[in-house]
Amino acid sequence: VQLQASGGGLVQAGGSLRLSCAASGGTFSSYAMGWFRQAPGKEREFVAAISRSGGMTSYADSVKGRFTISRDNAKNTVTLQMNSLKPEDTAVYYCAATNSRFIASMTRHYDYWGQGTQVTVSS
């Protein structure tokens, strides 16, 4: 499956952004999906994940209550709604897909990765 992330940009602290990830070339509903981010000089970290059906979600503590992950299996898309953004949310955001039947928070559990989209939050 190929993944294409979009929606990044520059926003002031307290603002919102909506990231989208479009999937092609596979059966989207057979993949659990995740969002990760990587800031300069840091390791890639888990942000959020959603199950195949969308019935289960998981979030990093740092974004819980501010970010919402969702998916539309009819449109082959997964979305990350980011509210109350902080400067520490600045990073390149990646969407990823896993063949696992369970949602996962570790990069090594994901099989496919998109190219990333830059999110910059100014103070």
Side-chain angles (χ1 to χ4, degrees), residues 36-39 42-46 92 94-95 107 113-114:
F36 290 77
R37 66 187 181 187
Q38 188 166 18
K42 295 187 176 181
E43 293 188 353
R44 193 168 297 188
E45 65 174 7
F46 170 73
V92 177
Y94 299 88
C95 62
T107 57
W113 293 84

Side-chain angles (χ1 to χ4, degrees), residues 3-80:
L3 304 173
Q4 180 76 35
S6 62
L10 174 64
V11 64
Q12 289 188 332
S16 298
L17 279 175
R18 186 178 180 89
L19 305 184
S20 292
C21 178
S24 61
T27 304
F28 183 67
S29 60
S30 68
Y31 300 102
M33 300 295 296
W35 285 97
F36 290 77
R37 66 187 181 187
Q38 188 166 18
K42 295 187 176 181
E43 293 188 353
R44 193 168 297 188
E45 65 174 7
F46 170 73
V47 175
I50 189 166
S51 62
R52 295 171 173 178
S53 67
M56 291 183 63
T57 57
S58 178
Y59 297 92
D61 288 343
S62 59
V63 307
K64 204 170 292 183
R66 300 188 297 122
F67 290 11
T68 302
I69 188 172
S70 60
R71 67 187 296 162
D72 185 337
N73 285 345
K75 296 183 178 179
N76 292 353
T77 58
V78 60
T79 299
L80 186 68

Side-chain angles (χ1 to χ4, degrees), residues 79-121:
T79 299
L80 186 68
Q81 177 66 44
M82 305 186 296
N83 299 328
S84 302
L85 283 161
K86 305 175 181 180
E88 51 263 45
D89 294 319
T90 295
V92 177
Y93 282 70
Y94 299 88
C95 62
T98 174
N99 289 304
S100 172
R101 61 182 296 184
F102 304 109
I103 55 176
S105 61
M106 300 183 70
T107 57
R108 63 185 175 88
H109 291 148
Y110 284 82
D111 304 290
Y112 307 97
W113 293 84
Q115 86 290 357
T117 185
Q118 176 71 48
V119 171
T120 303
V121 184

